[in-house]
Amino acid sequence: MKNLFLLVALLAAVPALAQTTKKTTAKKATVVKKAPAKATTAKKTTTTAPKSTTVATPAPAPAAPLTQAEAASGLREALTTGVTKAVAFASEPDGFNLNDDIRIQFPPDAQLVATTLGALPLGKQAVEQATNLLNRAAEAAAPQAKDIFLNAVQQLTLTDALSLVTSSQKDAATQLLRKNSEAALNAALRPSIVQSLDQVGANAAYSKLIERYNKIPLMTPASTNLTDYVTKETVDGLFILLAQQEAKIRQNPAAQSTAILKRVFGGK
């Protein structure tokens, strides 16, 4: 009987034991979520080179070769400009008198007159006064020379204009004008010189000195005629000034005042 009660107790305890065992042996399922991997990709640094804004400039087209007609036109223009400026300079007060390049002295055959009388009392002052008046006569006649010179420029034949333009002589055109026109220029200017010598009193002052000189014993008499000499010296002076102007046009871009002068002499 005792054993029977023990068996019943054991049978009653079995379900509870089984349920407890089941609870203690069952493992709690744990789901471990893996953290999402952080993006480790570094930001891509993009360096964009600035676009070049420089636009290639096309090379200028080569200038067309200078023609004979252009060269002749340019030379005439240079001479015309030179004559205008040369006459303007020569016509100014003391344009001849204070310019050592063109100042007119006593004629060669009267140099002894200046030397001899210049050594006498008051003689030097009289010689200087007469010399000044010779230059005043040239200055007075210079304006009349402008049209004479310009006419000679227009009549100038420039068959070799291209070689003149490229000449190493900076007064090549002036030399050609002088060669072809000097005699005619002297003849055309002579009447103006005659008039100006009388107007400024050069003839009277010079004649007085010559008469005084010719009275000195044993001296070879000197001529009192100034016209041909002063005419030649005036024309010479204008050619010298013209040559200077031509050289300036050839060498100085600032003096190339017109389109044709720039075209002909701009690349020199």
Side-chain angles (χ1 to χ4, degrees):
M1 194 68 175
K2 184 179 180 179
N3 290 336
L4 181 61
F5 282 113
L6 180 59
L7 180 59
V8 171
L10 287 172
L11 290 173
V14 169
L17 180 62
Q19 187 174 3
T20 302
T21 303
K22 186 176 181 180
K23 287 181 180 180
T24 57
T25 57
K27 290 184 179 179
K28 186 176 182 181
T30 57
V31 179
V32 179
K33 292 184 179 181
K34 290 185 179 181
K38 291 184 179 181
T40 58
T41 306
K43 286 185 178 180
K44 188 176 181 181
T45 303
T46 305
T47 303
T48 304
K51 292 183 179 181
S52 174
T53 57
T54 303
V55 179
T57 304
L66 194 67
T67 66
Q68 176 79 9
E70 287 176 324
S73 179
L75 287 169
R76 286 195 180 90
E77 182 73 16
L79 289 173
T80 298
T81 301
V83 165
T84 301
K85 292 188 175 183
V87 170
F89 292 150
S91 303
E92 293 176 355
D94 290 319
F96 270 85
N97 196 43
L98 294 185
N99 187 333
D100 291 339
D101 291 334
I102 61 174
R103 189 173 193 257
I104 301 173
Q105 303 292 341
F106 267 41
D109 62 351
Q111 285 297 316
L112 187 57
V113 176
T115 303
T116 302
L117 296 182
L120 300 176
L122 301 179
K124 183 177 181 180
Q125 182 177 353
V127 169
E128 186 65 21
Q129 181 184 14
T131 303
N132 290 345
L133 291 174
L134 297 183
N135 287 276
R136 295 283 181 255
E139 293 160 10
Q144 282 69 46
K146 180 178 178 180
D147 289 342
I148 298 170
F149 268 75
L150 291 179
N151 184 55
V153 169
Q154 294 307 313
Q155 293 181 1
L156 188 62
T157 302
L158 295 168
T159 55
D160 51 354
L162 286 172
S163 62
L164 284 170
V165 165
T166 57
S167 174
S168 60
Q169 295 177 319
K170 302 306 180 184
D171 62 342
T174 301
Q175 289 186 32
L176 182 62
L177 179 66
R178 185 167 195 160
K179 176 183 176 182
N180 292 357
S181 309
E182 185 173 13
L185 290 169
N186 275 282
L189 191 59
R190 194 175 190 279
S192 297
I193 294 295
V194 170
Q195 183 178 7
S196 63
L197 285 170
D198 284 332
Q199 284 180 343
V200 303
N203 275 333
Y206 184 75
S207 295
K208 187 180 293 185
L209 283 175
I210 295 299
E211 289 172 4
R212 183 177 175 185
Y213 172 80
N214 287 344
K215 290 179 180 178
I216 300 175
L218 305 178
M219 292 294 184
T220 303
S223 172
T224 59
N225 189 345
L226 286 172
T227 302
D228 290 340
Y229 171 72
V230 175
T231 300
K232 179 181 180 302
E233 289 296 294
T234 302
V235 172
D236 282 350
L238 290 170
F239 272 122
I240 290 171
L241 294 176
L242 176 56
Q244 293 171 353
Q245 291 300 314
E246 180 187 348
K248 187 180 296 184
I249 290 171
R250 287 176 179 269
Q251 297 172 313
N252 184 0
Q256 296 161 11
S257 55
T258 64
I260 188 63
L261 291 180
K262 288 182 175 67
R263 165 70 172 146
V264 175
F265 300 107
K268 304 294 179 291

